[in-house]
Amino acid sequence: MTGKLRSLGLKLFQKAKGGFNWTSVRPKASLPGRTFFAGRPKLLGALGVLAGGAGLLIYALEASVDASSDCVHPPHQDWNHTGLLAALDKESVRRGYFVYKEVCSSCHSLQYIAYRNLVGVCMTESEAKSEAEGITVKDGPNEEGNYFDRPGKLSDHFPSPYPNEDAARSANNGAYPPDLSYIVSARKGGEDYVFALLTGYCEPPAGFTLRDGQYFNPYFSGGAISMGKVIDNEVVSYADENVAASAAQIAKDVVTFLKWTSEPESDERRLLLIKVVLMSAFLIAMSYYIKRHKWSALKSRKIFYIPELERQAAQAAREAELAAKKAESDQCNRCENKNTDKD
């Protein structure tokens, strides 16, 4: 890694050094629209050195952080939704929601996701209403100034399994279960990290000490994690008998669901990108056609200064008048000479 950085830095320095040795050639005509960097090779070379140094510094810092990490790097998985034109698997999202509800919701919350967000993605509107009515929400005050409990509505967010952070830490040996709404976007590695964390539990190596209530996971920072292994074969039963409820499949589905909670609008943004690209291509083609064929007459015409033309026309008229008078005078003189010769 150090050798690559050194060779890249030497190449950039040589290019910048060559920029300092440029010879300034004065253009034939000084145009008002000349670029700012024309004739300033040293300034351009200095900016190149600064940009190259900043890029090397950022790359070196990123590489050093990855090299000094105290956990195993998660392997890359082939996700169906990672392509530029790929969409989330809605069936996998629906199964992932089922896994979250059955396994993860007892400890982790989804406080930034409302039940209305499930409509059209995981379930229909009637199913989402039925899911929302299964929770109890404290609302109020009413006309009498009292708070009351009511069934949930589509506008309500997912409830937290604990009333506050202290209760959550007390129930989990001092560890606070994080909210999973943006967990995929908030962790380096994204889906790969979450998938590896859920399926990477194993026995600790020799000499590694775990405290009570901790488990060994090589993908977690430090190796000791307070969350036990919750994803295993047949931990849930899918309604679709064609989908095997293996640990890998369960982890894949719940990670896909958490990817959706992190970016609920990802499919809409990809669809908007397709529309923008198609419309931009059409508009660019039309603009080129209009510029090339419709504006050619305007762009190729020659503009003259009208007062100068008027002056030239007046001078030409005076010269023509003088020439006509001179020709008439010469004609008269010739006639008089002829008459004199006859006499």
Side-chain angles (χ1 to χ4, degrees), residues 327-340:
E328 184 179 358
S329 177
D330 293 342
Q331 183 68 23
C332 292
N333 292 332
R334 285 196 296 270
C335 292
E336 291 177 359
N337 291 335
K338 289 181 180 180
N339 294 330
T340 303

Side-chain angles (χ1 to χ4, degrees), residues 25-35 38:
V25 180
R26 184 178 180 83
K28 294 181 180 180
S30 179
L31 299 176
R34 196 175 67 177
T35 59

Side-chain angles (χ1 to χ4, degrees), residues 3 35 89 146 188 192 270 275-276 300:
T35 59
D89 185 0
N146 298 323
K188 183 178 178 59
D192 296 334
R270 289 190 177 99
K275 294 180 180 179
V276 168
S300 61

Side-chain angles (χ1 to χ4, degrees), residues 236-300:
V236 295
S237 298
Y238 288 141
D240 188 358
E241 297 180 355
N242 296 325
V243 180
S246 61
Q249 182 65 45
I250 294 172
K252 172 185 175 296
D253 292 336
V254 73
V255 169
T256 305
F257 171 72
L258 294 178
K259 173 63 178 179
W260 171 78
T261 60
S262 297
E263 299 179 6
E265 73 290 344
S266 60
D267 290 348
E268 286 76 7
R269 285 193 284 107
R270 289 190 177 99
L271 185 60
L272 180 62
L273 175 63
I274 297 174
K275 294 180 180 179
V276 168
V277 169
L278 293 178
M279 293 178 64
S280 300
F282 174 75
L283 292 177
I284 290 173
M286 290 297 297
S287 300
Y288 176 78
Y289 173 78
I290 293 174
K291 179 181 182 301
R292 184 68 181 83
H293 299 282
K294 297 299 183 181
W295 292 354
S296 59
L298 297 177
K299 293 178 70 64
S300 61

